[in-house]
Structure formats: structure tokens, C-alpha cells
Amino acid sequence: MLLRAENLSKRFGGVAAVQAVELAVESGTVHSIIGPNGAGKTTLLNLLCGIYEPDAGKIVFGEEDVTGYPPHEFASAGIGRTFQNLQIFFNMSVLENVMAGGWLHEACGLAAALLRPPGLARAERRARTEAGELLTFVGLERWAGSPSDGLPYGALKRLEIARALAARPKLLLLDEPAAGLNPTETREIDQLIRRIAERGITVVLVEHNMKLVMEVSQRVLVLDHGRKLAEGEPAAVSQDPQVIEAYLGVEAC
Amino acid sequence: MSRKGFAVLALVVALLPLALTNNYTYEVAIVVGLNAIVCVGLNLLIGYAGQISLGHAGFFGLGAYGSAILAARYGWPPFAALASAVAGVSFIAWVIGKPVLRLKGHYLAMATLGLGIIVAVVLATEDQITGGPDGMAVPPLGVASFVLQGEKLWYWIVGAVLLATVWLALNIIDSPHGRAWRALHGSEVAAGAIGIDPARHKLTAFVLSAASAALAGALTAHYSGFITPAKASFLHSIELVTMVVFGGMASTFGAVVGAAILTTLPQLLTALKEYEMVTLGAVMMLTMIFMPQGLVPTLEKALAAARRKPE
Amino acid sequence: MSAELVQFLLAGITLGAIYALVALGFAIIYNASHVINFAQGEFVMIGGMAATAFVDSGLPLPLAAAAAVAAATLVGLALEKLAVEPARNASVVTLIIITIGASILLRGLASLVWDKKIHSLPAFTGDKPIAIGGATLLPQTLWVLGATVVAVAALWWFFNRTLTGKAILAVSHNHLAARLMGISVRRVLMVSFGLSAALGALAGILIAPISFTSWDIGVMLGLKGFAAAILGGLGSGPGAIAGGLALGLIEALGAGYLSSAYKDVFAFVIILGALVFLPNGLAGRRAAERV
Amino acid sequence: MFFRTLLAMGTLALASLVQAQEPIRIGAFLSVTGPAAFLGDPEQKTLELYVEKINAAGGVLGRKLQLYSYDSAGDAEKARAYVKRLIEQDKVDVLVGGSTTGETMAAVPLVEAAQVPFISLAGAVVIIEPVKKWVFKTPHTDRMACEKIFDDMRARGATKVALISGAGGFDRSMRAECLKVASAHGVQIVADESYGAGDTDMTAQLTKIKNTPGVQAVLNCGFGQGPAIVTKNYRQLGIQAPFYQSHGVASKQYVKLSGDAAEGVRLPAAALLIAETLPASDKQKKVVVDYKREYESRFKSEVSTFGGHAYDGLMLAVDAIKRAGGTDRAKMRDALESTKGYMGTAGVVNMSAKDHMGLDLSAFRMLEVKKGDWALVQ
Amino acid sequence: MLEVRGLESRYGRIPALKGIDLAVSAGELVALVGANGAGKSTLLRALSGVQPASGSIVFENHDISAAPAEQRVSLGIVQVPEGRQVFAPLTVEDNLRLGAYRRGRDRTGASLDRVYGMFPVLAERRRHAAGTLSGGQQQMLAIGRALMGQPRLLLLDEPSMGLAPRLVAEIFACVRALRAADTALLLVEQNARAALAIADRGYVLETGRIVLAGSGAELLADESVRSAYLGL
């Protein structure tokens, strides 16, 4: 198991957003989390990358108990993520966004940063090349030099993925990567997720687009009102009457 | 852009003396340079790392008085005093930055403002050491019998230090550290998600900006031979922030331009006598209302747009 | 309780009441607009200066006071309309610089319209000290405390009993929902600026007989008011009052028992400590961050 | 005001062209705004008024005076820049100004290097002690004020004294001087309190003084509204010991602000404050009455001793230029240093190589507030 | 009653609505369905005037394309926003009174009684802070608050979000009741089946465009709708 979450719970004021959720993500798989709006998917994701600290439960990544770590240590342990409502660094160019993603692997001393010795200049050139390659990987190579606030919505979604990949994560959490995309763009994301998985990166995917989920996932966890409703292979889950009811809603009488 | 900009700045520094007719104009140019050194550093904190400080005059004052007191009261060689003062202020910034930078927005503004005021009050009250509100005399910089004096010599010293500061700033902005700052400014949560420790990077920006303020402060003290606590006051802090924001946040050359304009403007406004304050206030408000990004970024954008059109 | 302590407490509460009024002004504007108005201290100055000018021109004191409050309110409305509204989408720092520019402008205007001298207002009901438990206080102090209590009560009534007041609270708690209810945010902004200018002017008039007024008193009072507002937790009315009183008491007790030269240092050290340990102020609420 | 100045400068320029005589350039840097504006404002007005008057009367040695004046706002840095501007760009012949000690001291190294006669309007004793070749000053020193006050206290049988002072340069400097000269004048400082700029209540500090055992007199070193608040608080707390203020509040405004609370307060000041009530035999009467009338009729506001400092500064310069027969800087300086028997608003000035102020304690009058006005203590 | 033509809107440089044409007749219940990010909430906000948009919006013969939000509320376009958005620290009754902000004070009492009649639980908790209510109660409050404005057209944004199935049924029952009372409704729902089942007509939104329109029953039976929401 790459990631194990045991008995995770999180409350906000009086509302239990996530209650006693168990999750085990196997290395090399795409593991999806679905559920109706407000079911606690994003909260769960925020727990899994340290943005929220759980009220109860623990998170083990690889061999390491990462519960209570600050977010940047989740990242250095190897967990990356993207955001449902875009968190692009709009004060940087497209390429710099991806280069910033490589911080963990390019960190240099303060003195070197100030004086820019040849060693750093070389490392910077290398980082630039690698970021360029990642942009090619997500299909954004032609935007590399642009300011990031000039990109169309779909491209920004892919830029977030490229930036997260630059941190070379073992586990990538994708929060609704297809939300707001048209069918063509959604298909491209579908492809992209597969190619990420092929690179050996484990993916946890939160997504509303059922078609996408069914196509790319090996396992699906269904959340409803902060609780686990069902878990299993996509085909099995999609036939589960409980899931259909929760997801589509009862036909009000 | 930044390489070209640096070359232009170096050229301006090299050629400006042709336009400087007397020691007074040299004086104004030197003060512009000293303010620009602070602003370039402060811009790392405000413009790039996105953290406000309303107390940087405190670091300026500590640098000035630190160096002045070590040299005048304890007889240290001035260069050693200057270096120790800058190092000492950096250390102080490092120690207080840790808890203070956990605060955000207006709370951070209040905390830094409070720090600045504390420094100013201490400097004005401990008159046995600091000379009190009327200030103290500061020995000139120099080694043994060789003393650095005269506006023309100081012009080149300050010009060189400014160019060095700008060069270092441009380097770090375009390094992983600079990207980490900008990432924090762009989205702190996303920065965390790619492994950037907010506390650590805010602290480096804070310490570097404090160091540049301390350096400019110490240079000011030794250059003018006299220093008063007014340089550590809240109003001076505000002046510094205004220069950065006016020139344009997240633009090193903006910081230099902001310092240049807001330092020379009062000199030009002297003819207005009692209307000087009203004019200064109105200029500040109008610029910020109509160019909220600051002067240089707004002009850059306009220029880029104009260049795009003819094609 | 020793007479000395009583005297310190009286001094602290009087100071604190003024700080509280200024801090409330900060809180009201911050609530409605998330702007920290660094020109808040200038309203205090305008209140005091206008009142003395009106008294000097022969107006009876109550009328002069009312006219001064009205004048400051107009300035507040103009500030909102001409400086803050056109810059609605500017960053926090930009807005800080705009309001600082406004304060420089207002100070400059005051020195032109009036003068650079120090002015005094006659005490409302004489100067004969009143003895309390071995300590003394001036009748004007009672006016300060009384008027502060009345102003706070009136504000409480306004925010809790009138629809307009509740609409302002609604805007501060949820901008979007308030607009969807048909509440005009622009009007709320105008009301908030007018209200906080009036409060500042009231403070300025109340202290003019005790500590006088001049074109440049706004800087220090604005600073202390901001400190009090932050200490109390930005945007909280009760917090602003608590912060103001706490700051006044810290200063008076610090000056009395520790060192009068370092009382401001003492006050700011306590504020810094409070911020580090209570990063959202005495009455601050932590907003859940949604990602 | 601005336009009037401009107009005045314009006509001046024209006049000098016609005369083909270089004007005498007077440089001034004053705290016209900022916390010391109440010093710089009347100083500025006085200089403008008298430069105009002197020119109307034909100038000095047949040459017009031209005033270059900048607002240094109490900021030593600004003062420095303006002094350079005055020396280097405006090429002034003599400097008057520096409303505060900080501004003055920032200018000292510059005028010494450029060798320009400089008459400071600030109070602290450090300006003339040690003597600096090109630096002179007109107001009484803060040390003299301390001495005058302590002598008066002792004469009233008070030897245990409490100090309370503000945070400004003047306040802190006078406090330091008073601490230094106290024992030499037979008094002992038993309490030493202070208050900040913009403070609105000083009862806490005064309560401490009140509860200090054995306090026989209290002295407030300070200027601006602080001393008036201290005076009010002093009466509020019912402190009975004699109360002294410094010459920093030597204006009618202080009495007006403090109201009844000022009754019985003593302070050392120049005769200007009691111009009209001076006995006709007093040699200073004509000077101070004339200045007072001129100033008050022109500006419709009450005269202060600060404006008087500027008057003395300008007149000393003019006097020196006349005696030097021109604007040769060295000759002007020598003439200034040899000033003898000049009667100014501050008193009789007798300068020497050792004394660049030339006033003695007799120039200070001990005044007391009686029935809302200053009265000479007999 | 409501006629929208060529409505476009963007967040910064990102387009959210790309030319929407839509109409609602008096007394009609119209459902808007679509995936997350399709632009449903943006559309409702643009109609309420709290999201800048270009294009034409005509409501009961008034061209309100450029009207400020408060004027639209006065005309009777009231929205129940996504996520309830109650004024948490204010009491239930204050929340309701603020709903009647644009109405005359005299009629507030009657409206209050009507809302309390519809949601007795709100009457019970009228003195409590709205933030202490449960999710379902907050949704009732949000609807009640909107009704205080005496809407002619009620815009409902995801009223069932995050509610337990029993509560969802209750909320939908209430929505149907409103429609009966001669108020036009525009309902945004992710719970597509439930929404379409009670709607007269529906629109399917996809990335800022309307891709399908028809009666509720037609859309409910449409294979492409089923596949879009179920991945079947």
C-alpha cells in the first residue's frame, strides 16, 4: 500500500465533513473518489495533503506516519496535488509556474541564489529544460513563455498538473481536473491521467464526470455525507443501487 | 528584460554625473540611491513574497545607529562597525521574523508597525548612547587615515552599492528562492503543495530586506555624519513602503524609480510652500487610484500594448 | 485599592474610551469594505479643529459640535466616493497607500483652512476637579466616558435594532448574499464611512478640552486606534472597545508603575505578544479557509 | 501666501536687475510643518516680514535682501539636503535657521566645511559648546533656562525637584542639561518622568510625582500641547508644589490653552512676552514693542518668542554685514563674533570668540502667569 | 416573463458563459442541469446582477441588462444562492427581515407569518443565530429569506446540496409547492433526475453553452443526459 488513511474524521463547527473514512491506495493505480456535491470529497483530499489536520485518525504514506505534518512536508514526502478552483501563480509565466513546482529538487543555498555561480546557472538551465519537457508532456509547449493569466481555462488545468508533476510526486491528488471542460478537453485529460499513471505515478482522482472516472480508475470510493458509501471496482460501484440513489437522487415523489 | 534593465540602470548611474551641477544635486542623487537600496530590498518582501512591513525604518535606524554607536562610542573601525551592524540587524530580523511572520495581512502590518515604533522610541529615549531625539554625530567611513568624504566620491560608492544590490536582487528573483517567494504570493496553499515551506521563505525575504535597510541606514549615517531617530520613525517606514508601491510592486526597477521620484518630488515641490503637503497627498492618492499596479508595471504594460499594435 | 491605582485606572479608562471610539471607526469601515482606513485619525482632527473654529466664529458649543460632526461626516463620504470606491479592486497595500495619501492631504488642507496652531475647546461643564477615592478627575472626563457609552449604545441599537444596521452586518458577513437580498453595497459603504467619520469627529470634540487639538493630532490617535482595533480583533465592535480600553489601561498603568518613557514600548510589546499568541485579536474569529 | 511670495520674489528679481547690484542672499531652513511647526511657522513669517521691510527701506548697503527659505519639517535629513541646496545652488551669503537642535546639528558639519556664517534658532547648548567657528545662535540655551529656574526655586526654598519632560528633542535635551546643572545650583532631582508625543493624559506620571516624598517644586521641560495638558493635570490632581515650565512654551497660546490651571506657573522667557508692561525705562522695551506690533498687525496672530529668535537672527546678520562692509564670508563671521551690545528680542547680545550666543542670565526674565497673562516676577 | 439573449460572462480572461439564450414563462418551473463548472451558478449570478455579463436580459418588459442587483431584487428576481449563504451570526428572524430589505416595512409581518407557516422549525428557532442551524434548516432559511422578497422569479442554486435524502425530498416538495403559487422558478440542480422530474422544462448546460433543451420528461428520457451523469 502506498497510502493508508485510517479512521479519518474532520468536523467544521457543527458539521461532520468527513467521518471515520478508511482508504487504502495501492501503488501504481488510479483510485477515484466520487460522491454528490457536499459529500466531503474535497475535505478528504485536503486531509490527504495536510491542508487540514484530521480531528481523528491517521495517514501513513509508504512507511511514514505523516499525520499532522504541514502541507509542504506532505509534498516533500511525495504527495502532490492540483486544485479544483485553480491555484495558479498568476504572478509568473507559464514556464516559471512549472519551474516553481520543481523547488524540492532545485533548492539551493541563499548565497548561491544571490550570486548565481556557474553551478546554479547550469542547474537553472536544466530546470528550464525539464519544465519545458513537462509542458510538452501536458501539451502546453507553445504557451511556455506566456504570462499565465493569458491562458484559456482548459490549459490552466493542465498547467496545474504539469506544476504538480515537476515536484516528482509518488502520489498525485487530482481535484476535479475535468470540471468546466468541454468533451474534447475532457478526453485529453483522460489521456493525460493514463499517461501519468504509465509513468508509475499513483493517482487519487476526485471527479464528477462519471465517464472519465469509469474509464481511468482501477478502484472507486463513493462518499456520501462524509461517510464511505461503497468502494470497489468501477463496474461494480456503478451498478450499486445505493450509489445510484445517492448520486442521482431519489426521484422526488 | 532584467539584463537589459540592469544595463540601462548602470548606464544611468554612470552618466548621471554629467547632469549633476553641484554638491546639492549630488546630495539628492545620493539620497535617491540610498533610498533605492532599501526599496529594492523591501520590494523582495512586499512585491515578491507578498508580505507587508510597516516597520522597515526600524531596521534602517538600527543599522544606522548600530554602526554609528560602535564607531563613535566604542571606537570600532567604521567598516567593521558597518558590517557588524548589518549582520546584527539581520540576526535581529531573523529572531523576530519567526513569530511575527506567522501573522497575515493587517495583523502583520500592525506587528511590523509596532516593532518599528519600539525601535524609534528606544533610540529617542536612550539619549546617553544615542544622543536622543536630536541625534548623534557619526564618524566618516574610512581605513586608518584614508577617509571617504565628499559628495562625488560618495556618489560612486552609493551608485556601486545600488548596482550590486539590484544585481543580487535580480539574481535571487530569478532563482528557485525567488520563484518560491512569488509562489507564496501567488497562492500560499499551492506553494505548500509543491513543498515550499511558507515560514522559511517569508523569513529569508524578511531578513534580506532588513539587511538592505540596515546597510542603507549605516551608509546614510556615515555619509551624512549625523543621524536622528526620525529615520527610524513610522513616517519613514510609510515613506519607504510608498516608494515601493508607487514605483510598482514586484518590479525591482519599479522600486528604484519609486525611490527616485518620491525622493526628488519634495525637492521640486518646495516652490509650492504650504501647498506641498496637499500636493504630495494628492499625487499619492491619484497615482494609486489610477495606477494600482504602480508606475513601472503600468508603463511596461502600456508600452507592450503599444508595441503589439503596429504589427 | 490605593488612591494611586484609582488615578491610573481613571486615566487609563479615559484614554481607552477615546481609543475605543477611534478603533470602532476602523472596525466599521473594515467590516463593510475590508479597507483599513489610515485616515481615520484625521476625522478626529477635523472634529476637534472644526468645533473650535465654529466656537471661535461665535456658534454655541452644542451647535458647533454638531456642525463639526456633520463636516467630518461629509469628508468621510467624500473620501469613500472619491478615493476608496474608484480603487475597490486594488490590493491591500495599494489601499493602505491611498488612505495614507488621503491623511496627508487632509492634514495639509487642515493647515491651510485653519492654521498650524494648537487650539482648545472650553470644557463642557467647567474645570473643577472631582475627587473619587483619593483620586481626582475632571468633569470633562465624565463627558468623555458618558458620550462614549452613549455612542456605543447608539451603535449597538443601530446594528441590532435597525434594518440598515443589520444590512451593514449582512454585507460584512456575506457580501454576495447581501447583494442578492438587494442590499446596495455602495450605500452600505457610504453609511460606514460617514458613521466612522462621525465617531472619529465625536472623539476629537470630546478630547479637545482635555488634550487640545491641532492640525497634526490625527497621526498618533489614528495609530493608537488602529492598534486598539487590531488588539481587539479586526472588524469586531466589542473587540474594538475592549482593545481601546485595554490599550488605555496598559499605557496608564505602564506609565504609572513601570516607566513613563517606555509606556508606548510596553503597550506595543503587549500587542505584539497578543498577536503572536492570539493571531486574530482578543475577539477575533478564525475563518475556515476553503480551498 | 504662495503667490504673494512669488510676486515678492519676482519684483525683487526685477529690482536687482535694474540696480545691477547682486542681492544679499539670506538662506533659511525652518520647521514650517511637522511637530515643530509652531517654531518654524512664526520664524518663517518673521523672516518674510522683515526682509520685505528692509528692502522697502532700501536694503542693506544699497543691496536688496533675497530670502531663500525651505521647510525642513523638523527632519535632520531634510535640513541637510536643504542646507546643501542653499550653499551650493542658491549660493547664500549667510544662513539663518534650524528651528530645532537636530536640524541645526545636521547642518553644522556642512557650514563648517563650506565656511558660511550660520545663525541657529535652536536652543540646545551643544550648538555653541564647544564653539564652532562659523556657528552662532540667538535663543537662550536650555542650560540657562535650567539655571534660571533652579535659582528661582532655591530662592523660594525648594531644593527637592521633580522633572517631567516630553519626548521631543528640545524636551530631552533640556532635561539632560537640568540633570547636569542641578547639583551645582543646589537642587536635587528626586523624580524624573516623561510623556510621549501626542499623549493626551499625563495624570499617571504626575500621580507618581505627587506620591514621591519630599517634592518641593516641579519643572516641565517641553513644548507644544504637552505642557498645557501637564498644567491642567497638575491642577486636577491638586499638587501644591510650585510649578515651572520651560521657555519652550513662552507664548500667549500656552496660557490660553491651560486656562485657569496656568495661574501661578512660572517660566523663564525673553522680555518680548511682557513687552507692553515693561517699564518705560527698560532699554529693551522699544525693540520688543516694535516687533510685537509689526508682527501682530501683519499676521493677526499673537507674537511668540520663537519669531523673535528669527528676528534677532536676521538683524544680527544684517548688523554684521553692515559692519563687515559687504558679504565677504570671513569678514561677516568676524563681525558676528565681535557683536557687542546688540539689543534684540532675547536681550543684549555680546558675542566673543568663546561665546557665540552672547546672552547672559539677565536676558531671561522670570515670568509668572497672573490673571491669565504673563507678569514679571519681582 | 424572462428572456435572455446572447448572455456572455467571464472570470478574468476565462469565459464562463458563451452566449446563452433562455426563457422562462410566468408560473413555470425550469431546471438547469449540467456538470460542475458548466456555468450554471454563473448564469444565475449574472441574472441577479452580481456577476458582470454582456448580452440582453429582459424581465417583464424591463430591459435589466445594466440594472444593479438591488433594482433586480425590487423587480422581483430573487436568488437562493448555492451553499445557503445565510448570515451566520445574525438571528433567523434577522435573516428573514433582511430578505425583505427592498420591501416596505408594513408588509414584512405578513411575509414573516407566511414563511413561518411554511417552515415551522424556523419559527421555533427565530431567536437563534442562523449559523447554529443544521444544514437542512439553513436551506429552509435561505429559501424563506428569498421568499421574504416576494419574488416573481425565484432562482434556486443547488438547494439539495449536501443534504440527507429525506431532507432533499422535503426541499423538493417545497419547491413544487412554490411553483403552484404562481411564482416562476429557475432551478439549478446537480441532482438531475429529481430536478427534471418536477420541472416543466429544462436546459442542459455544458462549458458555458446550452446543449440541450426540452421538457423535463424528454430530457429525463434522453440517453445523452443519462450518460453524461452516470457514465453508463
Side-chain angles (χ1 to χ4, degrees), chain B residues 23-256:
Chain B
N23 280 346
Y24 158 66
T25 45
Y26 268 100
E27 163 87 15
V28 174
I30 290 166
V31 177
V32 165
L34 290 166
N35 282 336
I37 292 168
V38 190
C39 290
V40 167
L42 188 55
N43 187 36
L44 296 181
L45 182 70
I46 297 180
Y48 288 99
Q51 306 300 308
I52 186 145
S53 168
L54 295 185
H56 253 56
F59 296 123
F60 185 97
L62 282 178
Y65 273 93
S67 191
I69 290 168
L70 289 177
R73 308 261 191 260
Y74 296 96
W76 286 34
F79 275 112
L82 185 141
S84 316
V86 174
V89 171
S90 308
F91 178 72
I92 292 172
W94 182 73
V95 171
I96 56 179
K98 278 192 168 185
V100 163
L101 288 166
R102 283 175 20 204
L103 301 168
K104 288 188 166 65
H106 294 111
Y107 293 94
L108 179 62
M110 177 72 239
T112 49
L113 191 162
L115 286 173
I117 290 181
I118 290 172
V119 171
V121 172
V122 171
L123 290 179
T125 309
E126 292 303 316
D127 44 15
Q128 295 295 319
I129 310 168
T130 63
D134 284 336
M136 68 181 283
V138 188
L141 272 187
V143 186
S145 63
F146 179 71
V147 173
L148 304 178
Q149 259 171 337
E151 284 79 2
K152 296 194 175 61
L153 179 57
W154 268 94
Y155 174 84
W156 295 113
I157 295 172
V158 171
V161 175
L162 172 63
L163 285 175
T165 311
V166 168
W167 182 71
L168 294 174
L170 290 173
N171 276 349
I172 198 166
I173 289 160
D174 193 25
S175 79
H177 282 273
R179 285 195 295 273
W181 290 336
R182 285 181 283 164
L184 279 175
H185 195 185
S187 162
E188 198 165 324
V189 48
I194 50 176
I196 293 165
D197 178 358
R200 179 183 150 196
H201 289 278
K202 287 179 189 173
L203 194 59
T204 55
F206 191 66
V207 170
L208 285 178
S209 65
S212 73
L215 174 65
L219 286 174
T220 302
H222 289 291
Y223 161 64
S224 58
F226 197 79
I227 187 77
T228 66
K231 289 284 110 176
S233 69
F234 167 64
L235 291 177
H236 190 221
S237 288
I238 294 296
E239 237 170 64
L240 294 172
V241 174
T242 308
M243 286 174 188
V244 171
V245 181
F246 186 92
M249 287 194 287
S251 161
T252 298
F253 300 109
V256 176

Side-chain angles (χ1 to χ4, degrees), chain A residues 202-219:
Chain A
T202 310
V203 174
V204 167
L205 172 69
V206 166
E207 183 50 63
H208 266 99
N209 189 311
M210 296 302 287
K211 200 163 160 229
L212 175 65
V213 168
M214 296 303 153
E215 276 171 19
V216 301
S217 332
Q218 277 83 52
R219 271 188 94 74

Side-chain angles (χ1 to χ4, degrees), chain B residues 27 125 151 223 271 274, chain D residues 1-2 80 84-85 88 172:
Chain B
E27 163 87 15
T125 309
E151 284 79 2
Y223 161 64
E274 50 260 61
Chain D
M1 197 66 211
F2 164 54
R80 233 186 97 75
K84 274 203 182 151
R85 185 168 182 171
E88 301 278 345
R172 302 290 299 177

